[in-house]
PDB file of all heavy atoms in Angstrom:
ATOM      1  N   PHE A  27     101.207  87.676  55.449  1.00  0.00           N
ATOM      2  CA  PHE A  27     101.679  87.215  56.748  1.00  0.00           C
ATOM      3  C   PHE A  27     102.962  86.388  56.673  1.00  0.00           C
ATOM      4  O   PHE A  27     103.246  85.590  57.559  1.00  0.00           O
ATOM      5  CB  PHE A  27     100.570  86.444  57.466  1.00  0.00           C
ATOM      6  CG  PHE A  27      99.368  87.300  57.714  1.00  0.00           C
ATOM      7  CD1 PHE A  27      98.183  87.058  57.033  1.00  0.00           C
ATOM      8  CD2 PHE A  27      99.422  88.375  58.586  1.00  0.00           C
ATOM      9  CE1 PHE A  27      97.079  87.855  57.245  1.00  0.00           C
ATOM     10  CE2 PHE A  27      98.320  89.182  58.799  1.00  0.00           C
ATOM     11  CZ  PHE A  27      97.139  88.926  58.125  1.00  0.00           C
ATOM     12  N   ASP A  38      98.395  91.141  68.395  1.00  0.00           N
ATOM     13  CA  ASP A  38      98.192  92.229  69.356  1.00  0.00           C
ATOM     14  C   ASP A  38      96.760  92.769  69.272  1.00  0.00           C
ATOM     15  O   ASP A  38      96.150  93.107  70.297  1.00  0.00           O
ATOM     16  CB  ASP A  38      99.190  93.363  69.120  1.00  0.00           C
ATOM     17  CG  ASP A  38     100.615  92.979  69.498  1.00  0.00           C
ATOM     18  OD1 ASP A  38     100.807  91.975  70.216  1.00  0.00           O
ATOM     19  OD2 ASP A  38     101.544  93.690  69.057  1.00  0.00           O
ATOM     20  N   GLN A  44      90.126  90.976  72.963  1.00  0.00           N
ATOM     21  CA  GLN A  44      89.784  90.122  74.101  1.00  0.00           C
ATOM     22  C   GLN A  44      89.628  90.959  75.367  1.00  0.00           C
ATOM     23  O   GLN A  44      88.658  90.791  76.110  1.00  0.00           O
ATOM     24  CB  GLN A  44      90.886  89.080  74.345  1.00  0.00           C
ATOM     25  CG  GLN A  44      90.885  87.924  73.388  1.00  0.00           C
ATOM     26  CD  GLN A  44      92.025  86.968  73.680  1.00  0.00           C
ATOM     27  OE1 GLN A  44      93.184  87.363  73.721  1.00  0.00           O
ATOM     28  NE2 GLN A  44      91.687  85.703  73.891  1.00  0.00           N
ATOM     29  N   GLU A  45      90.576  91.832  75.599  1.00  0.00           N
ATOM     30  CA  GLU A  45      90.610  92.607  76.839  1.00  0.00           C
ATOM     31  C   GLU A  45      89.599  93.746  76.870  1.00  0.00           C
ATOM     32  O   GLU A  45      89.073  94.080  77.938  1.00  0.00           O
ATOM     33  CB  GLU A  45      92.018  93.180  77.049  1.00  0.00           C
ATOM     34  CG  GLU A  45      93.069  92.121  77.270  1.00  0.00           C
ATOM     35  CD  GLU A  45      94.494  92.645  77.152  1.00  0.00           C
ATOM     36  OE1 GLU A  45      94.684  93.884  77.074  1.00  0.00           O
ATOM     37  OE2 GLU A  45      95.422  91.816  77.123  1.00  0.00           O
ATOM     38  N   ASN A  46      89.308  94.340  75.721  1.00  0.00           N
ATOM     39  CA  ASN A  46      88.518  95.568  75.695  1.00  0.00           C
ATOM     40  C   ASN A  46      87.170  95.490  74.993  1.00  0.00           C
ATOM     41  O   ASN A  46      86.342  96.386  75.164  1.00  0.00           O
ATOM     42  CB  ASN A  46      89.343  96.692  75.049  1.00  0.00           C
ATOM     43  CG  ASN A  46      90.589  96.973  75.852  1.00  0.00           C
ATOM     44  OD1 ASN A  46      90.520  97.543  76.924  1.00  0.00           O
ATOM     45  ND2 ASN A  46      91.733  96.553  75.342  1.00  0.00           N
ATOM     46  N   ILE A  56      97.133  81.490  61.817  1.00  0.00           N
ATOM     47  CA  ILE A  56      97.523  82.517  60.855  1.00  0.00           C
ATOM     48  C   ILE A  56      98.367  81.864  59.775  1.00  0.00           C
ATOM     49  O   ILE A  56      99.473  81.386  60.038  1.00  0.00           O
ATOM     50  CB  ILE A  56      98.322  83.655  61.532  1.00  0.00           C
ATOM     51  CG1 ILE A  56      97.488  84.314  62.630  1.00  0.00           C
ATOM     52  CG2 ILE A  56      98.766  84.684  60.491  1.00  0.00           C
ATOM     53  CD1 ILE A  56      98.235  85.365  63.433  1.00  0.00           C
ATOM     54  N   ILE A  61      93.511  83.858  57.670  1.00  0.00           N
ATOM     55  CA  ILE A  61      93.483  83.513  59.081  1.00  0.00           C
ATOM     56  C   ILE A  61      92.164  82.803  59.365  1.00  0.00           C
ATOM     57  O   ILE A  61      91.096  83.305  59.019  1.00  0.00           O
ATOM     58  CB  ILE A  61      93.609  84.765  59.966  1.00  0.00           C
ATOM     59  CG1 ILE A  61      94.926  85.487  59.676  1.00  0.00           C
ATOM     60  CG2 ILE A  61      93.493  84.396  61.447  1.00  0.00           C
ATOM     61  CD1 ILE A  61      95.047  86.853  60.304  1.00  0.00           C
ATOM     62  N   ILE A  76      82.568  93.585  66.347  1.00  0.00           N
ATOM     63  CA  ILE A  76      83.945  93.350  66.800  1.00  0.00           C
ATOM     64  C   ILE A  76      84.825  92.966  65.608  1.00  0.00           C
ATOM     65  O   ILE A  76      85.929  93.476  65.450  1.00  0.00           O
ATOM     66  CB  ILE A  76      83.991  92.261  67.895  1.00  0.00           C
ATOM     67  CG1 ILE A  76      83.197  92.688  69.129  1.00  0.00           C
ATOM     68  CG2 ILE A  76      85.434  91.943  68.271  1.00  0.00           C
ATOM     69  CD1 ILE A  76      82.996  91.586  70.159  1.00  0.00           C
ATOM     70  N   ARG A  78      84.299  93.666  62.429  1.00  0.00           N
ATOM     71  CA  ARG A  78      84.452  94.871  61.589  1.00  0.00           C
ATOM     72  C   ARG A  78      85.548  95.783  62.148  1.00  0.00           C
ATOM     73  O   ARG A  78      86.435  96.223  61.418  1.00  0.00           O
ATOM     74  CB  ARG A  78      83.120  95.623  61.525  1.00  0.00           C
ATOM     75  CG  ARG A  78      83.186  96.938  60.739  1.00  0.00           C
ATOM     76  CD  ARG A  78      82.065  97.887  61.113  1.00  0.00           C
ATOM     77  NE  ARG A  78      82.180  98.269  62.512  1.00  0.00           N
ATOM     78  CZ  ARG A  78      81.137  98.521  63.303  1.00  0.00           C
ATOM     79  NH1 ARG A  78      79.905  98.436  62.855  1.00  0.00           N
ATOM     80  NH2 ARG A  78      81.332  98.860  64.570  1.00  0.00           N
ATOM     81  N   LYS A  90     100.351 101.240  57.561  1.00  0.00           N
ATOM     82  CA  LYS A  90     101.436 102.019  58.177  1.00  0.00           C
ATOM     83  C   LYS A  90     102.723 101.207  58.223  1.00  0.00           C
ATOM     84  O   LYS A  90     103.801 101.732  57.945  1.00  0.00           O
ATOM     85  CB  LYS A  90     101.040 102.477  59.578  1.00  0.00           C
ATOM     86  CG  LYS A  90     100.047 103.606  59.584  1.00  0.00           C
ATOM     87  CD  LYS A  90      99.705 104.045  60.996  1.00  0.00           C
ATOM     88  CE  LYS A  90      98.627 105.118  60.965  1.00  0.00           C
ATOM     89  NZ  LYS A  90      98.189 105.476  62.322  1.00  0.00           N
ATOM     90  N   GLU A  93     104.285 100.874  54.757  1.00  0.00           N
ATOM     91  CA  GLU A  93     104.901 102.130  54.330  1.00  0.00           C
ATOM     92  C   GLU A  93     106.197 102.446  55.082  1.00  0.00           C
ATOM     93  O   GLU A  93     107.085 103.086  54.525  1.00  0.00           O
ATOM     94  CB  GLU A  93     103.899 103.277  54.499  1.00  0.00           C
ATOM     95  CG  GLU A  93     102.751 103.193  53.512  1.00  0.00           C
ATOM     96  CD  GLU A  93     101.642 104.195  53.789  1.00  0.00           C
ATOM     97  OE1 GLU A  93     101.585 104.771  54.895  1.00  0.00           O
ATOM     98  OE2 GLU A  93     100.808 104.393  52.880  1.00  0.00           O
ATOM     99  N   THR A  94     106.327 102.002  56.321  1.00  0.00           N
ATOM    100  CA  THR A  94     107.483 102.402  57.132  1.00  0.00           C
ATOM    101  C   THR A  94     108.522 101.302  57.344  1.00  0.00           C
ATOM    102  O   THR A  94     109.646 101.600  57.725  1.00  0.00           O
ATOM    103  CB  THR A  94     107.030 102.897  58.517  1.00  0.00           C
ATOM    104  OG1 THR A  94     106.327 101.843  59.184  1.00  0.00           O
ATOM    105  CG2 THR A  94     106.141 104.119  58.380  1.00  0.00           C
ATOM    106  N   LYS A 101     106.969  96.656  49.139  1.00  0.00           N
ATOM    107  CA  LYS A 101     106.183  97.830  49.513  1.00  0.00           C
ATOM    108  C   LYS A 101     105.336  98.354  48.353  1.00  0.00           C
ATOM    109  O   LYS A 101     104.109  98.455  48.457  1.00  0.00           O
ATOM    110  CB  LYS A 101     107.108  98.930  50.030  1.00  0.00           C
ATOM    111  CG  LYS A 101     106.422 100.237  50.320  1.00  0.00           C
ATOM    112  CD  LYS A 101     107.439 101.272  50.789  1.00  0.00           C
ATOM    113  CE  LYS A 101     106.818 102.619  50.937  1.00  0.00           C
ATOM    114  NZ  LYS A 101     107.751 103.600  51.491  1.00  0.00           N
ATOM    115  N   TRP A 103     104.617  97.060  45.447  1.00  0.00           N
ATOM    116  CA  TRP A 103     103.742  96.023  44.910  1.00  0.00           C
ATOM    117  C   TRP A 103     102.510  95.838  45.800  1.00  0.00           C
ATOM    118  O   TRP A 103     101.379  95.801  45.314  1.00  0.00           O
ATOM    119  CB  TRP A 103     104.523  94.710  44.776  1.00  0.00           C
ATOM    120  CG  TRP A 103     103.757  93.602  44.151  1.00  0.00           C
ATOM    121  CD1 TRP A 103     103.598  93.361  42.819  1.00  0.00           C
ATOM    122  CD2 TRP A 103     103.021  92.570  44.834  1.00  0.00           C
ATOM    123  NE1 TRP A 103     102.812  92.239  42.631  1.00  0.00           N
ATOM    124  CE2 TRP A 103     102.450  91.745  43.861  1.00  0.00           C
ATOM    125  CE3 TRP A 103     102.803  92.284  46.173  1.00  0.00           C
ATOM    126  CZ2 TRP A 103     101.674  90.641  44.174  1.00  0.00           C
ATOM    127  CZ3 TRP A 103     102.026  91.179  46.494  1.00  0.00           C
ATOM    128  CH2 TRP A 103     101.467  90.377  45.501  1.00  0.00           C
ATOM    129  N   LEU A 105     101.237  97.962  48.089  1.00  0.00           N
ATOM    130  CA  LEU A 105     100.394  99.155  48.079  1.00  0.00           C
ATOM    131  C   LEU A 105      99.604  99.277  46.785  1.00  0.00           C
ATOM    132  O   LEU A 105      98.435  99.670  46.797  1.00  0.00           O
ATOM    133  CB  LEU A 105     101.239 100.406  48.319  1.00  0.00           C
ATOM    134  CG  LEU A 105     101.844 100.528  49.720  1.00  0.00           C
ATOM    135  CD1 LEU A 105     102.782 101.725  49.795  1.00  0.00           C
ATOM    136  CD2 LEU A 105     100.764 100.598  50.785  1.00  0.00           C
ATOM    137  N   GLN A 122      92.132  98.525  50.206  1.00  0.00           N
ATOM    138  CA  GLN A 122      91.426  97.396  50.800  1.00  0.00           C
ATOM    139  C   GLN A 122      92.438  96.288  51.015  1.00  0.00           C
ATOM    140  O   GLN A 122      93.117  95.872  50.073  1.00  0.00           O
ATOM    141  CB  GLN A 122      90.291  96.900  49.904  1.00  0.00           C
ATOM    142  CG  GLN A 122      89.541  95.741  50.529  1.00  0.00           C
ATOM    143  CD  GLN A 122      88.326  95.333  49.734  1.00  0.00           C
ATOM    144  OE1 GLN A 122      87.814  96.100  48.924  1.00  0.00           O
ATOM    145  NE2 GLN A 122      87.856  94.120  49.976  1.00  0.00           N
ATOM    146  N   ILE A 131      80.336  80.504  60.109  1.00  0.00           N
ATOM    147  CA  ILE A 131      79.602  79.246  60.210  1.00  0.00           C
ATOM    148  C   ILE A 131      79.346  78.994  61.695  1.00  0.00           C
ATOM    149  O   ILE A 131      80.290  78.879  62.484  1.00  0.00           O
ATOM    150  CB  ILE A 131      80.394  78.085  59.582  1.00  0.00           C
ATOM    151  CG1 ILE A 131      80.593  78.347  58.090  1.00  0.00           C
ATOM    152  CG2 ILE A 131      79.686  76.758  59.832  1.00  0.00           C
ATOM    153  CD1 ILE A 131      81.530  77.371  57.407  1.00  0.00           C
ATOM    154  N   PRO A 150      98.428  74.192  58.821  1.00  0.00           N
ATOM    155  CA  PRO A 150      99.872  74.270  58.559  1.00  0.00           C
ATOM    156  C   PRO A 150     100.506  72.911  58.253  1.00  0.00           C
ATOM    157  O   PRO A 150     101.505  72.845  57.542  1.00  0.00           O
ATOM    158  CB  PRO A 150     100.461  74.867  59.840  1.00  0.00           C
ATOM    159  CG  PRO A 150      99.349  75.050  60.788  1.00  0.00           C
ATOM    160  CD  PRO A 150      98.077  74.647  60.159  1.00  0.00           C
ATOM    161  N   ASP A 175     104.003  77.529  76.300  1.00  0.00           N
ATOM    162  CA  ASP A 175     104.447  78.639  75.441  1.00  0.00           C
ATOM    163  C   ASP A 175     103.468  78.836  74.284  1.00  0.00           C
ATOM    164  O   ASP A 175     103.497  78.150  73.305  1.00  0.00           O
ATOM    165  CB  ASP A 175     105.868  78.387  74.911  1.00  0.00           C
ATOM    166  CG  ASP A 175     105.992  77.084  74.150  1.00  0.00           C
ATOM    167  OD1 ASP A 175     105.196  76.159  74.409  1.00  0.00           O
ATOM    168  OD2 ASP A 175     106.875  76.987  73.284  1.00  0.00           O
ATOM    169  N   ILE A 178      98.645  83.471  72.582  1.00  0.00           N
ATOM    170  CA  ILE A 178      97.415  84.119  73.024  1.00  0.00           C
ATOM    171  C   ILE A 178      96.588  83.101  73.791  1.00  0.00           C
ATOM    172  O   ILE A 178      96.608  81.906  73.472  1.00  0.00           O
ATOM    173  CB  ILE A 178      96.660  84.696  71.802  1.00  0.00           C
ATOM    174  CG1 ILE A 178      95.570  85.660  72.223  1.00  0.00           C
ATOM    175  CG2 ILE A 178      96.136  83.632  70.914  1.00  0.00           C
ATOM    176  CD1 ILE A 178      95.033  86.492  71.079  1.00  0.00           C
TER     177      ILE A 178
END
Side-chain angles (χ1 to χ4, degrees):
F27 299 111
D38 290 344
Q44 283 178 305
E45 295 166 10
N46 298 287
I56 301 175
I61 300 170
I76 298 170
R78 177 201 63 213
K90 285 181 184 175
E93 291 172 344
T94 60
K101 174 182 174 175
W103 184 84
L105 292 174
Q122 181 174 340
I131 297 172
D175 57 334
I178 194 166

